[in-house]
Amino acid sequence: MSNDFFIGTREYFPGLGRIPFEGIGSDNPLAFKHYDAGKRIGEKTMAEHLRFAVCYWHSFCNAGHDPFGPGTRAYPWDAPATAMGRAEARVDAAFEFFSKLGVPYYCFHDIDLAPDASDVGEYERNLRHMVALAKERQQATGVKLLWGTANLFSHPRYMNGASTNPDFAVVARAAVQVKAALEATVELGGENYVFWGGREGYASLHNTDMKRELAHMGRFLTMARDYGRSIGFDGVFLIEPKPMEPMKHQYDFDSATVVGFLREHGLDQDFKLNIEANHATLSGHTFEHDLQVASDAGLLGSIDANRGNPQNGWDTDQFPVDLYDTVAAMLVVLRQGGLQPGGLNFDAKVRRESTDPQDLFLAHIGGMDAFARGLEVAHALLTASPMEGWRQRRYASFDQGAGRDFEDGRSTLADLRDLAAQAGEPKQRSGRQEVYENLFNQYLLR
Ligand code: XLS
Ligand code: NI
Ligand code: NI
C-alpha cells in the first residue's frame, strides 16, 4: 500500500490508502458511493460546497469511554509513556487519517492537541510546541484548520462554569485558554473560532444570578473578539448552541436564544452560529429548524454534522446517515448561498462497540456520502422541481396591492378591517404538506 499519506515516524492505519470514489455500483465499504470531490453541483464542486472537517476530540482522543465504563479501543498513538509523546504521536495519526480520507479541514480544542497543565506557562509552552508540529503537518498535507476552540468544560476548575463562573479567579483562568487557543488558531490559519459553552449555564436557580452571569458572558466574548481582532484573526467567531448536558440549562440554548444574545451584546457583526444536529434535537427542534432560524437571521456560519437518537435523549453524537435530514440541511445551506468560511465538521464518534481501526474510516465515509447525496437532492429540488415556485405562490397575495402595502407598512389595522369587510370570508387554501413530502421523496429516490 502506498505510504504517500504517512508523514510521521510510523504508519497508524496500515493497509489503507486514499479512499477512492467508486460510485453507487460499488460494494467496497472503503470507497465513496456519492462523495465525488471534484463533481460539479451548480456553480461549485462537491468539495467546495461541503467543506468537510474531521474533529480531533472524538476521533483521536476518545477511546470509547462512557459514564459506565472505560474506553474499549487501544489506540497505538496512546502508547508513548509521556503526555507529550502521546500528543506527538496523535498529530501524526490524525494527519495520516485526514489525508487518507481526503477531507480538506480539521478542528481541535487546545487540550486535544497539546497536554494540559495547571501551570499557565507550561500549558502555553505545550500548546505552542504542538501548534508548531501541526503547522508542519498542515504544510505537508495541505489539510487546513476549519476552527480552533478552548476546552473550558473538562477541568474540575470549570465545574461552576468558565466565563459565567461566580468566582472571578476562574473567569480569569478561562481567559488563559481562550487567549492561547486564539493565538493557536491564528498561527494555523484557522478560518473560524468556536465557543461551545458546555458549563455556561446552571444546575439550580436557587444559587444562580442568571442576569449577572449572562452579562459576564457577554463581556468575556467581547474581550475575546477584541483580542482576536488585535492579533490578526479575520475569520468568523462562532457560538454553538446546546440546551443542556452537562448543565440542566445552558445559556446558549438554541438558535433563537443565541441570535437574541448576540444582538443584545452587539456581537452579531463578528459572531455567527455553529449548529449541531444533535443539539438542535435536544432543544426540542429539528436540525432543519435551528439551521433555518440561524440562516434567517443572516447568522448561520457552520455546522457540526452528527445525529442523535430518539430513544436516548442525550448527545449521542452519532455519524449522520439519515438522508431526510441531510437533504433538509442542504436546502437551508444552498438557499443562503453556502457555508464558507464555515463547513461541515463531523462532531461525531464511532460507537463504543466499534473497535476496529477501519471503523473510523467507515463512519466518516458514511457521513460524507450522506451529505453528498443530500447536496445533490437539495440542489435538484431547488433548481429542477416545482418546490420553490409552489412555496412562493403560497405568499403571492403579498406581492402586490393591499398585501404589498401591508408588508411595506403603508396600511393600518383599520384599513385591513375595511378590506376584510368588503371581501367577505376568505377562500380556503390547502397547505398541501403531503405534495411537498411526496416531491421530496420523488427526488430523494431518483
Ligand atoms: C459538545 C460540543 C463540542 C463542541 C466543541 O456537545 O458539541 O464538541 O463542538 O467544544
Ligand atoms: Ni459540537
Ligand atoms: Ni455536541
Side-chain angles (χ1 to χ4, degrees):
M1 200 54 65
S2 140
N3 279 348
D4 296 355
F5 307 104
F6 136 50
I7 3 131
T9 48
R10 62 174 280 194
E11 190 173 20
Y12 288 94
F13 300 95
L16 286 164
R18 176 71 174 246
I19 302 298
F21 168 74
E22 291 184 2
I24 193 69
S26 167
D27 282 331
N28 173 8
L30 287 162
F32 294 114
K33 315 301 180 302
H34 298 284
Y35 182 62
D36 182 3
K39 180 175 177 181
R40 293 197 84 78
I41 304 290
E43 313 265 270
K44 291 189 270 191
T45 64
M46 277 193 168
E48 288 164 347
H49 277 288
L50 297 167
R51 301 170 57 82
F52 286 127
V54 169
C55 84
Y56 217 87
W57 51 102
H58 288 312
S59 296
F60 302 100
C61 306
N62 176 334
H65 66 270
D66 70 11
F68 304 95
T72 51
R73 295 180 282 272
Y75 288 136
W77 50 89
D78 279 339
T82 65
M84 190 58 90
R86 290 190 288 278
E88 289 172 356
R90 186 177 293 132
V91 81
D92 286 340
F95 277 84
E96 182 190 328
F97 180 80
F98 306 152
S99 319
K100 286 182 170 176
L101 186 64
V103 287
Y105 291 101
Y106 74 111
C107 301
F108 66 81
H109 299 88
D110 54 348
I111 58 170
D112 306 330
L113 190 67
D116 198 3
S118 296
D119 180 76
V120 170
E122 187 184 343
Y123 158 82
E124 290 171 342
R125 278 191 301 281
N126 288 350
L127 187 58
R128 275 200 293 269
H129 173 77
M130 287 309 303
V131 164
L133 289 188
K135 193 170 182 177
E136 285 174 19
R137 303 293 178 273
Q138 287 186 196
Q139 280 158 0
T141 59
V143 175
K144 294 180 285 184
L145 180 63
L146 184 67
W147 48 262
T149 186
N151 177 329
L152 303 178
F153 45 90
S154 293
H155 193 284
R157 77 171 71 89
Y158 299 121
M159 66 183 184
N160 290 306
S163 71
T164 64
N165 199 293
D167 180 357
F168 176 63
V170 179
V171 179
R173 187 59 176 78
V176 169
Q177 285 185 248
V178 170
K179 178 174 176 289
L182 278 166
E183 288 163 4
T185 300
V186 170
E187 176 69 12
L188 294 171
E191 297 179 29
N192 305 268
Y193 183 88
V194 163
F195 289 89
W196 171 60
R199 296 191 195 269
E200 311 289 30
Y202 62 81
S204 168
L205 269 184
H206 297 332
N207 66 0
T208 302
D209 185 338
M210 183 157 61
K211 186 171 182 182
R212 207 163 176 186
E213 291 196 2
L214 276 162
H216 294 170
M217 189 160 90
R219 203 49 225 121
F220 191 87
L221 293 174
T222 303
M223 293 165 92
R225 188 260 329 260
D226 293 346
Y227 184 72
R229 295 300 183 223
S230 79
I231 59 167
F233 177 67
D234 55 10
V236 179
F237 292 93
L238 294 164
I239 292 191
E240 183 175 322
K242 185 175 181 180
M244 65 190 83
E245 194 207 4
M247 305 311 279
K248 173 171 105 175
H249 174 92
Q250 274 158 222
Y251 295 138
D252 301 325
F253 194 90
D254 61 0
S255 283
T257 308
V258 174
V259 166
F261 174 87
L262 291 176
R263 288 180 178 159
E264 180 184 346
H265 292 274
L267 294 168
D268 53 320
Q269 299 304 310
D270 299 276
F271 281 75
K272 288 187 172 179
L273 277 66
N274 181 39
I275 301 302
E276 178 165 320
N278 204 162
H279 297 181
T281 52
L282 276 177
S283 68
H285 305 306
T286 58
F287 180 29
E288 179 187 19
H289 169 91
D290 248 25
L291 291 170
Q292 190 68 58
V293 170
S295 183
D296 286 346
L299 294 174
L300 173 58
S302 201
I303 291 179
D304 269 8
N306 64 12
R307 77 179 201 279
N309 178 323
Q311 275 79 38
N312 278 135
W314 67 82
D315 199 11
T316 57
D317 288 332
Q318 289 167 246
F319 275 83
V321 291
D322 184 331
L323 294 177
Y324 217 81
D325 269 356
T326 62
V327 173
M330 291 312 297
L331 279 172
V332 181
V333 170
L334 290 176
R335 282 194 185 114
Q336 74 162 30
L339 278 177
Q340 61 286 348
L344 286 165
N345 168 45
F346 290 108
D347 191 353
K349 59 190 177 213
V350 294
R351 299 300 85 195
R352 187 166 187 266
E353 306 81 7
S354 302
T355 48
D356 291 342
Q358 277 196 4
D359 291 329
L360 199 55
F361 280 93
L362 299 174
H364 283 89
I365 290 168
M368 291 164 77
D369 270 343
F371 267 96
R373 185 67 193 135
L375 165 65
E376 287 182 317
V377 174
H379 176 76
L381 278 168
L382 291 175
T383 57
S385 90
M387 189 176 71
E388 292 296 85
W390 288 347
R391 208 165 69 132
Q392 266 165 31
R393 280 196 292 283
R394 218 175 154 217
Y395 297 88
S397 57
F398 294 93
D399 289 345
Q400 68 277 305
R404 173 96 273 161
D405 290 343
F406 164 81
E407 274 199 352
D408 294 346
R410 283 192 300 265
S411 46
T412 66
L413 194 67
D415 293 336
L416 266 55
R417 181 260 161 217
D418 293 346
L419 282 170
Q422 274 166 30
E425 185 58 30
K427 201 170 141 244
Q428 194 174 52
R429 292 179 200 275
S430 172
R432 304 205 311 152
Q433 179 177 328
E434 295 79 5
V435 79
Y436 289 80
E437 289 169 345
N438 294 350
L439 188 75
F440 207 94
N441 276 356
Q442 180 194 332
Y443 275 71
L444 194 56
L445 294 172
R446 81 173 180 197

